[in-house]
Amino acid sequence: MKTPATIKDIARASGVSIATVSRVINGTAPVLPETRQRVEEAIRKQDYTPNALAKGLVSRRTSSIGVTIPDISNPYFSSLFCEIEATAHQNGFSVFLFNTMFSSRLSRRPRNFKEQDYFQMLLESQVAGAVIAGGQLDLSAPDPEYQEALRKLSQCVPLVILSDPVPNVTAVYLNREENTGMVQAIEYLASLGHKNIAFLGGEAGITITESRLKVYKDTLLRLGLPVSPDLIHLSDYYVTDGYTAARSLIQNQAHASAVLAVNDNVALGALRAFSEAGIQVPAQISIISCEEFPMASYYTPSLTTVKRHSDLFGHTVIQTLLSVIRKKEIGRIPTITSQLVVRESTARWDAANRM
């Protein structure tokens, strides 16, 4: 079998440097017409196919983008990654996924790598840029070692970070969390006559939980509705956590008429717990999810939920990163407003049917 030609072979055959061959392939700088002709002739004769690593030999950067997420099984991160990957491919970039497994659900499993170890992998992969999502960024206080590793990465690789700004880390920061949909959800429940509204799921010390919990409390107070510790059951972000939180709510006899679940996973677990307890949704208790995942409309009952447009956010993330990589002005980043989608899991409150 014939050994494929390399960029070095093309440089040798055409009598130019590897840097010149790279400039011809990438079109990154002017090349004399006769020099370009020699290089292109050598490429044709040797049936050379440029690849991502060859293109990066001079710039030390490939046409690849790295993405770190804490848990690919989480529907939010998987759908976000799919949109990032699709948009990157449309723009001629491949994508490396680094699933760091940094989540409380996975923390009990043995891990050989710290989250910051993946930053070194990003550097070794010579990515053109990277998206950093979740993990310690979601903690109220990331540890200093992590912050220092992120700072060093930001000095070498263009970054888009999906969080609030991290001190001393130069990057473009995008934060999807905004309150419109959640406020609409609580106001909608109030308009149906619900007064005792519970909050289920989420993890203490995680910024997304703290943010949504604050909106929940502030909105209830503004509407003159009770904010009771008995109605707040934090756990985590997965189906089993919604099931556990809902069972706690039932056992405590908190007499909630409606539930605000931190996401669709938690809402699904709560649906199961209420069903086992003989509590009908929505006749005896209504459920709204704070974040829609792809299967929301296929549950029974289908979920009333907050649509946060992860597809649009993923597209915005990658377009922003590409602007940074290409040293273009980023311009105004579009605001993506969440919205309430009303389905079957909510109904007007009838005190005669209380759970």
Side-chain angles (χ1 to χ4, degrees):
M1 178 182 278
K2 182 182 176 182
T3 303
T6 68
I7 193 171
K8 289 183 180 180
D9 296 329
I10 302 304
R12 189 180 304 113
S14 54
V16 299
S17 67
I18 291 175
T20 299
V21 176
S22 178
R23 284 194 284 271
V24 171
I25 293 170
N26 296 320
T28 53
V31 178
L32 291 173
E34 57 269 27
T35 302
R36 177 179 294 278
Q37 184 177 351
R38 289 205 313 273
V39 171
E40 291 176 346
E41 185 178 350
I43 288 173
R44 283 194 299 272
K45 283 184 177 179
Q46 301 200 35
D47 195 23
Y48 171 67
T49 302
N51 58 58
L53 288 175
K55 289 181 180 180
L57 280 176
V58 175
S59 67
R60 306 307 296 170
R61 288 285 173 262
T62 67
S63 56
S64 298
I65 289 167
V67 180
T68 70
I69 59 174
D71 183 4
I72 191 61
S73 70
N74 184 316
Y76 164 65
F77 289 111
S78 59
S79 59
L80 177 66
F81 174 76
C82 286
E83 187 60 35
I84 286 174
E85 185 177 43
T87 308
H89 287 174
Q90 290 167 8
N91 286 273
F93 283 80
S94 57
V95 181
F96 293 142
L97 169 64
F98 297 86
N99 183 34
T100 67
M101 298 176 67
F102 186 92
S103 73
S104 59
R105 187 179 73 90
L106 301 173
S107 62
R108 292 181 293 276
R109 298 182 183 179
R111 290 187 296 167
N112 296 323
F113 299 104
K114 295 180 179 179
E115 197 175 9
Q116 51 267 36
D117 292 333
Y118 289 90
F119 298 161
Q120 183 61 36
M121 296 180 196
L122 282 169
L123 290 171
E124 292 171 357
S125 300
Q126 297 181 5
V127 293
V131 177
I132 311 297
Q136 289 214 38
L137 289 171
D138 288 341
L139 299 180
S140 300
D143 73 54
E145 182 184 356
Y146 173 89
Q147 293 189 58
E148 177 60 18
L150 186 60
R151 184 189 68 80
K152 289 179 178 178
L153 178 66
S154 71
Q155 293 177 332
C156 303
V157 178
L159 297 181
V160 169
I161 298 177
L162 309 188
S163 76
D164 293 328
V166 179
N168 303 316
V169 176
T170 302
V172 176
Y173 291 88
L174 298 179
N175 195 334
R176 181 193 58 139
E177 192 71 9
E178 56 86 44
N179 303 330
T180 306
M182 269 198 68
V183 172
Q184 288 176 350
I186 297 168
E187 290 178 342
Y188 177 66
L189 288 173
S191 74
L192 295 176
H194 295 279
K195 292 183 171 36
N196 295 317
I197 301 171
F199 184 96
L200 302 186
E203 186 180 0
I206 303 297
T207 53
I208 194 169
T209 302
E210 302 298 337
S211 172
R212 292 181 185 179
L213 198 55
K214 183 178 188 305
V215 175
Y216 162 79
K217 292 177 179 178
D218 289 349
T219 307
L220 289 181
L221 289 172
R222 177 172 59 79
L223 296 174
L225 300 178
V227 177
S228 169
D230 292 339
L231 294 174
I232 299 172
H233 294 265
L234 303 186
S235 49
D236 207 328
Y237 302 94
Y238 298 88
V239 175
T240 54
D241 306 302
Y243 178 82
T244 302
R247 282 180 59 87
S248 296
L249 184 70
I250 295 165
Q251 290 165 2
N252 289 353
Q253 298 183 332
H255 300 301
S257 66
V259 160
L260 202 64
V262 77
N263 62 28
D264 279 10
N265 277 345
V266 170
L268 178 58
L271 278 172
R272 177 67 186 187
F274 292 136
S275 176
E276 288 183 355
I279 299 168
Q280 297 178 1
V281 177
Q284 293 175 280
I285 190 166
S286 289
I287 298 180
I288 291 184
S289 164
C290 297
E291 180 162 358
E292 181 185 47
F293 294 153
M295 300 297 290
S297 61
Y298 294 94
Y299 297 150
T300 303
S302 59
L303 282 176
T304 297
T305 186
V306 174
K307 188 176 184 66
R308 294 180 178 269
H309 303 287
S310 292
D311 53 344
L312 298 178
F313 184 62
H315 181 79
T316 298
V317 167
I318 201 66
Q319 291 292 3
T320 302
L321 180 59
L322 292 178
S323 294
V324 177
I325 291 170
R326 294 164 175 166
K327 300 184 179 350
K328 293 183 177 179
E329 184 177 349
I330 294 174
R332 180 181 171 274
I333 296 173
T335 300
I336 300 172
T337 304
S338 58
Q339 63 190 98
L340 179 67
V341 179
V342 177
R343 296 194 180 101
E344 299 170 346
S345 65
T346 47
R348 182 164 295 279
W349 170 234
D350 182 353
N353 294 330
R354 67 187 302 170
M355 80 171 197

